[in-house]
């Protein structure tokens, strides 16, 4: 059984091209063009709609969220997908290369089973998250976060850890080193306590 990757995209370009892309995506996912197990929103419907062969381009997944027209900006389109193992970017690259000279996109993707944490929005204009933290903590810490949290920068990460663990870490490097050492203790492992810090990559 595959792991599932969630990916959010923001496409930007001139108004005419963004509107055309929106209309086509809406049309191509309004019905099941080809029999499949994902339904109307299957990515293969989009690949086929733009004239490509869905057998040759990875498209195993579906549109998970697509906005109504009144929710969009004229030069911006945001939507999300749910795909097998990893983001399916080849299809978008081919579509843009062939049809939309003004359009570019950024994405943020997560698939924890494969250790995929990607944020290509280097400037943070659309997606600011840079760290994902997973943990199971001792009840003594009484954290407001049930099983982890997200952070936009190293400073935010350190500040949150200081709040949770009642520490005074001064840097991400110090914080990561000491917590890593602490959670390797046998008494932590025996009780199933863990802490993992994932840093988002900036490219696929």
């Amino acid at each position: 059984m595959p792991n599932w990757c969630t990916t959010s995209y923001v496409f930007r370009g001139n108004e005419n091209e963004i509107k055309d892309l929106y209309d086509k995506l809406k049309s191509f996912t309004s019905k099941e063009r080809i029999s499949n197990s994902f339904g109307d929103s299957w990515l293969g419907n989009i690949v086929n709609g733009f004239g490509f062969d869905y057998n040759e381009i990875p498209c195993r997944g579906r549109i998970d969220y697509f906005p109504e027209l009144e929710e969009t900006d004229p030069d911006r389109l945001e939507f999300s997908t749910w795909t097998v193992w990893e983001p399916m970017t080849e299809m978008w690259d081919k579509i843009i290369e062939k049809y939309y000279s003004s359009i570019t996109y950024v994405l943020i993707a997560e698939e924890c089973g494969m250790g995929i944490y990607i944020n290509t929005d280097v400037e943070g204009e659309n997606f600011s998250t840079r760290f994902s933290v997973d943990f199971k903590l001792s009840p003594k810490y009484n954290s407001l976060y049930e099983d982890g949290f997200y952070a936009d920068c190293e400073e935010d990460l350190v500040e949150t850890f200081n709040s949770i663990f009642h520490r005074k870490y001064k840097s991400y490097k110090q914080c990561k080193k000491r917590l890593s050492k602490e959670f390797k203790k046998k008494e932590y492992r025996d009780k199933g306590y863990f802490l993992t810090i994932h840093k988002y990559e900036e490219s696929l």
Side-chain angles (χ1 to χ4, degrees):
M1 184 174 179
N3 293 339
W4 297 99
C5 178
T6 56
T7 308
S8 293
Y9 295 87
V10 170
F11 285 69
R12 289 185 179 274
N14 71 49
E15 294 184 16
N16 291 335
E17 289 195 353
I18 289 292
K19 179 63 165 56
D20 186 78
L21 176 60
Y22 178 92
D23 290 341
K24 284 186 168 58
L25 293 181
K26 189 77 171 178
S27 173
F28 297 155
T29 56
S30 64
K31 63 181 180 179
E32 188 175 85
R33 300 170 63 91
I34 303 163
S35 179
N36 70 90
S37 60
F38 290 98
D40 296 350
S41 59
W42 177 45
L43 297 180
N45 285 330
I46 297 170
V47 171
N48 175 264
F50 278 104
F52 298 104
D53 187 342
Y54 64 88
N55 291 305
E56 296 181 355
I57 299 175
C59 55
R60 194 176 171 195
R62 60 178 170 80
I63 295 283
D64 191 45
Y65 160 75
F66 194 74
E68 296 300 325
L69 183 60
E70 59 269 19
E71 298 172 342
T72 65
D73 296 327
D75 62 349
R76 183 181 186 274
L77 173 60
E78 181 175 359
F79 60 87
S80 61
T81 63
W82 189 66
T83 54
V84 171
W85 303 118
E86 60 187 354
M88 300 291 169
T89 56
E90 181 181 346
M91 59 176 286
W92 304 114
D93 293 339
K94 287 185 177 297
I95 290 168
I96 289 172
E97 181 181 11
K98 185 172 182 179
Y99 295 102
Y100 302 111
S101 60
S102 78
I103 292 181
T104 59
Y105 70 87
V106 293
L107 65 85
I108 186 167
E110 181 175 327
E111 201 293 275
C112 56
M114 296 292 290
I116 293 176
Y117 295 86
I118 302 168
N119 182 353
T120 66
D121 186 6
V122 177
E123 301 300 323
E125 183 178 355
N126 303 282
F127 305 118
S128 58
T129 301
R130 299 298 164 192
F131 294 92
S132 173
V133 177
D134 300 319
F135 54 49
K136 179 181 178 182
L137 305 179
S138 166
K140 70 179 181 180
Y141 291 118
N142 192 29
S143 171
L144 296 175
Y145 307 94
E146 184 175 350
D147 51 13
F149 64 93
Y150 293 92
D152 290 351
C153 61
E154 291 182 357
E155 290 77 12
D156 287 346
L157 191 72
V158 173
E159 182 179 344
T160 302
F161 278 141
N162 282 339
S163 174
I164 292 173
F165 296 109
H166 312 295
R167 308 289 169 80
K168 294 183 179 180
Y169 299 125
K170 295 182 179 180
S171 70
Y172 170 63
K173 183 177 180 180
Q174 178 194 47
C175 178
K176 183 179 180 181
K177 181 179 179 179
R178 293 189 180 179
L179 285 175
S180 176
K181 182 178 180 180
E182 182 173 342
F183 276 83
K184 287 179 180 177
K185 293 178 181 179
K186 186 176 184 299
E187 60 263 34
Y188 280 69
R189 300 197 312 271
D190 287 349
K191 294 181 179 180
Y193 300 143
F194 69 90
L195 184 147
T196 308
I197 303 172
H198 309 281
K199 186 174 182 178
Y200 281 73
E201 302 292 335
E202 294 182 349
S203 61
L204 298 171

